[in-house]
């Protein structure tokens, strides 16, 4: 392998789907070479504004430039806004001395790709979803390397790297940590469902489980419900198993270790973390976007490690009729766990770092 780069600029932000793999790659690059300088490009309003500095990496800000899907006033303003964002990305490249730019899609990535090309730097693209977004479709044209999370992602010349995931997840031994994890959340040794709808898609899941909480508790199924910041729920009086509500969980490794079953959206990062640790899941794709969440879950569902449920079907009656009996079926959950783990990848960060090293050497 060629010598690694001395400085890398990572571009991605807005949602955890972009920020989480960005941070996982940053950590991997630093593990490989403690002297490498890693910085990130992001917006002032996205999750990256908090998470990137908290992990110890400098964040260089660029203005948010959404790409309108239809003619409107934002489309008229796009050229000026894009020029401003590209200029900010160029300043970040100059300030960091970056030798390679790695983009993860979203509003931040397109200006970064354009700035890198103007500076003559190699670009590496990583696409999280099975169906790529506009920024990465553009960035992949002429990129030094393209990494994808799922097989069949339609980007020319792509390498299947899987998803870069955090080391605390990639190295998780759920069985060894189960007792500690359940104690951490105040849970007992009982069938446990983890419910999480992410930052954008929590409302329907929250409402369904809030109403069904008493029935789950009475049946001996305990719930760890991550509702999303500012979206707490109240399941009312529960007379049996525990129903724990947290708005934000900064120890998802322990949440995964505590759970026997997960009910979640099918964001790429979620799917990849659950399969990496071998967790059975009920995936409820968001009914917006370009249908990428349904495709994201396809491999896990096809292997038998998960179930796919339409958003419109999620209500309290569905929770009681479908989720409750599944959570109590230990034999079926064990088979699903094995199937999920069979398609899980734990070394996506290393594979993407390989692409970064090769691109830097070629550049």
């Amino acid at each position: 392998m060629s010598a690694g780069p001395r400085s890398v600029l990572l571009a991605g932000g807005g949602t955890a789907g972009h920020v989480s793999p960005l941070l996982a790659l940053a950590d991997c690059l630093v593990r490989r070479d403690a002297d490498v300088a890693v910085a990130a490009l992001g917006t002032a309003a996205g999750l990256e504004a908090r998470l990137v500095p908290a992990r110890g990496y400098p964040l260089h800000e660029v203005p948010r430039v959404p790409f309108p899907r239809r003619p409107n006033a934002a489309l008229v303003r796009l050229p000026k806004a894009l020029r401003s964002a590209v200029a900010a990305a160029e300043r970040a490249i100059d300030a960091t001395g970056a030798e390679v730019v790695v983009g993860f899609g979203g509003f931040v990535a397109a200006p970064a790709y354009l700035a890198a090309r103007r500076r003559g730097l190699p670009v590496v693209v990583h696409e999280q979803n099975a169906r790529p977004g506009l920024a990465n479709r553009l960035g992949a044209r002429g990129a030094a390397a393209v990494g994808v999370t799922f097989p069949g992602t339609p980007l020319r010349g792509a390498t299947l790297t899987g998803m870069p995931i955090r080391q605390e997840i990639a190295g998780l031994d759920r069985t060894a940590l189960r007792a500690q994890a359940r104690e951490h959340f105040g849970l007992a040794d009982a069938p446990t469902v983890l419910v999480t709808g992410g930052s954008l898609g929590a409302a329907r899941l929250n409402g369904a489980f809030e109403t069904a909480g008493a029935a789950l508790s009475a049946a001996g199924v305990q719930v760890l419900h991550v509702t999303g910041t500012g979206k707490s729920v109240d399941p009312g009086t529960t007379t049996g198993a525990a129903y724990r509500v947290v708005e934000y969980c900064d120890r998802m490794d322990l949440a995964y270790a505590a759970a026997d079953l997960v009910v979640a959206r099918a964001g790429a990062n979620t799917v990849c973390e659950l399969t990496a640790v071998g967790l059975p899941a009920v995936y409820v794709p968001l009914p917006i976007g370009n249908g990428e969440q349904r495709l994201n879950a396809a491999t896990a569902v096809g292997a038998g490690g998960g179930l796919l449920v339409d958003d419109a079907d999620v209500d309290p009656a569905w929770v009681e009729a479908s989720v409750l009996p599944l959570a109590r079926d230990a034999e079926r959950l064990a088979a699903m766990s094995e199937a999920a783990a069979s398609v899980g990848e734990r070394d996506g960060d290393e594979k993407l770092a390989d692409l970064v090293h090769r691109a830097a050497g070629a550049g």
Side-chain angles (χ1 to χ4, degrees):
M1 183 184 300
S2 61
R6 292 167 295 179
S7 179
V8 181
L9 183 63
L10 310 179
T15 68
H18 295 125
V19 180
S20 293
L22 181 153
L23 290 174
L25 176 63
D27 291 347
C28 181
L29 292 170
V30 172
R31 284 199 311 272
R32 289 186 170 199
D33 180 0
D35 293 327
V36 66
V38 178
L41 200 63
T43 67
L47 285 176
E48 65 274 15
R50 176 173 58 87
L51 298 180
V52 169
R55 192 68 72 93
Y57 300 109
L59 179 70
H60 296 261
E61 292 183 7
V62 295
R64 184 176 181 270
V65 185
F67 285 78
R69 295 181 181 272
R70 58 183 61 87
N72 56 24
L75 183 61
V76 176
R77 296 191 295 268
L78 177 61
K80 182 178 179 180
L82 186 57
R83 283 195 298 270
S84 176
V86 172
E90 287 185 284
R91 290 193 294 272
I93 289 172
D94 295 341
T96 60
E99 298 173 359
V100 58
V101 171
V102 185
F104 294 86
F107 300 133
V108 176
Y113 298 148
L114 294 171
R117 287 170 184 170
R118 291 179 65 169
R119 287 291 190 265
L121 296 181
V123 166
V124 176
V125 172
H126 184 267
E127 175 55 53
Q128 293 83 55
N129 291 302
R131 181 172 287 164
L134 176 61
N136 277 352
R137 293 203 305 270
L138 296 174
R141 298 176 182 177
V146 178
V148 296
T149 299
F150 299 105
T153 301
L155 287 176
R156 183 176 298 177
T159 298
L160 182 62
T161 62
M163 176 73 80
I165 59 178
R166 298 165 287 175
Q167 281 296 290
E168 60 266 32
I169 303 299
L172 178 63
D173 184 334
R174 290 173 50 230
T175 301
L177 274 182
R178 181 167 293 121
Q180 175 190 337
R182 290 183 174 175
E183 181 179 1
H184 176 83
F185 292 109
L187 298 170
D189 183 18
T192 303
V193 178
L194 169 64
V195 181
T196 174
S199 58
L200 299 177
R204 184 176 288 273
L205 295 182
N206 286 356
F209 277 86
E210 180 178 33
T211 302
L216 291 164
S217 174
V221 175
Q222 58 191 359
V223 177
L224 174 58
H225 192 156
V226 184
T227 62
T229 303
K231 303 172 184 176
S232 188
V233 301
D234 181 4
T237 302
T238 53
T239 58
Y243 195 113
R244 300 287 182 247
V245 177
V246 295
E247 290 193 4
Y248 177 78
C249 182
D250 59 1
R251 289 299 306 272
M252 286 304 292
D253 56 329
L254 293 182
Y256 290 159
D260 299 301
L261 173 67
V262 179
V263 180
R265 295 301 189 179
N269 200 65
T270 297
V271 173
C272 291
E273 288 191 347
L274 295 181
T275 55
V277 302
L279 256 172
V282 178
Y283 295 108
V284 185
L286 274 170
I288 59 175
N290 60 6
E292 71 275 9
Q293 287 206 355
R294 182 172 292 273
L295 293 175
N296 291 345
T299 300
V301 171
L307 304 175
L308 198 64
V309 176
D310 287 339
D311 181 80
D313 294 334
V314 173
D315 59 21
W318 167 79
V319 174
E320 293 185 38
S322 298
V323 177
L324 194 160
L326 178 59
R328 299 178 63 185
D329 190 341
E331 183 175 347
R332 186 180 180 191
L333 290 179
M336 290 179 67
S337 175
E338 185 176 345
S342 73
V343 295
E345 297 283 350
R346 294 184 179 232
D347 61 349
D349 56 344
E350 294 286 351
K351 291 177 179 176
L352 184 57
D354 287 344
L355 296 187
V356 174
H357 278 239
R358 291 170 191 153

